[in-house]
Amino acid sequence: MSKRAVYAGSFAPVHLGHIYVLEQACALFDEVHILLASNIQKKSLFSTQFRMELLKLATQDFKNIRLVYLNEFVVDYMLRENIEYAIRGVRDSNDFCYEQNMAYTNAKLNTNCKTILIPTRQELVHISSSLLRDCLYHNKSVAEFVPSSILPLLQKYPNGK
């Protein structure tokens, strides 16, 4: 039986920190389901379709992934697909505390859910999707923060609007 995991996020937009976590997850698991989720606490400048397009481009070289648009709780998807592991990236102690609480909640909602926290590389800890949205909104370059494959699409997206 293959080992599978989910890696869920709003990916608005996907950045090098996300890609690093995905690389680590793909090395650990036979298959990683990347779940493009909506987060009611985050205001996205990008449509779901645009975020999925960015994800497809950013992950085109990965062989053991499956991209899925998610319109339900992650733990419900995991139950339906019989997946035990949830991958989460952490940049700092604030992320750790947030993700730890999310792991506890997910385990209550789905007793088979096991969360694996993957710390990002030190040179990537300052990157966040909200920082990138702010840069894009103010016409600043995000070239050093995102996969080069998505840069042309982001540059066509004026002010993130």
Side-chain angles (χ1 to χ4, degrees):
M1 184 174 191
S2 65
K3 284 204 175 216
R4 300 181 306 149
V6 299
Y7 179 33
S10 54
F11 304 106
V14 60
H15 55 69
L16 295 177
H18 294 132
I19 297 301
Y20 175 78
V21 170
L22 181 59
E23 287 169 347
Q24 304 312 301
C26 285
L28 294 169
F29 292 93
D30 299 316
E31 185 177 57
V32 177
H33 293 216
I34 303 172
L35 307 180
L36 179 62
S38 296
N39 185 334
I40 58 171
Q41 296 174 346
K42 293 182 180 177
K43 181 181 179 234
S44 180
L45 293 176
F46 308 113
S47 69
T48 302
Q49 181 180 355
F50 187 71
R51 289 183 291 136
M52 183 59 86
E53 194 173 346
L54 293 174
L55 262 178
K56 284 179 185 173
L57 285 172
T59 61
Q60 62 191 349
D61 294 332
F62 289 87
K63 304 298 181 218
N64 59 333
I65 64 161
R66 184 168 146 196
L67 295 176
V68 178
Y69 170 68
L70 189 69
N71 197 19
E72 62 185 313
F73 268 166
V74 172
V75 291
D76 292 337
Y77 178 86
M78 293 173 70
L79 276 169
R80 190 178 71 255
E81 295 293 322
N82 198 28
I83 297 174
E84 290 183 53
Y85 298 96
I87 301 296
R88 301 297 297 171
V90 292
R91 294 170 294 189
D92 57 23
S93 59
N94 291 331
D95 281 357
F96 179 83
C97 290
Y98 176 83
E99 297 299 344
Q100 184 179 37
N101 287 335
M102 184 184 289
Y104 294 151
T105 302
N106 286 345
K108 287 283 188 189
L109 297 172
N110 172 355
T111 56
N112 292 323
C113 179
K114 298 167 186 69
T115 300
I116 296 176
L117 301 179
I118 298 179
T120 194
R121 291 193 327 249
Q122 187 175 13
E123 63 269 19
L124 301 174
V125 297
H126 64 288
I127 302 173
S128 69
S129 293
S130 38
L131 168 77
L132 298 183
R133 288 190 304 271
D134 215 23
C135 288
L136 288 166
Y137 185 82
H138 294 286
N139 293 313
K140 301 297 180 196
S141 174
V142 296
E144 65 184 277
F145 308 122
V146 300
S148 58
S149 58
I150 72 167
L151 197 54
L153 267 185
L154 284 176
Q155 289 171 334
K156 289 180 185 176
Y157 212 86
N159 296 75
K161 296 177 184 169

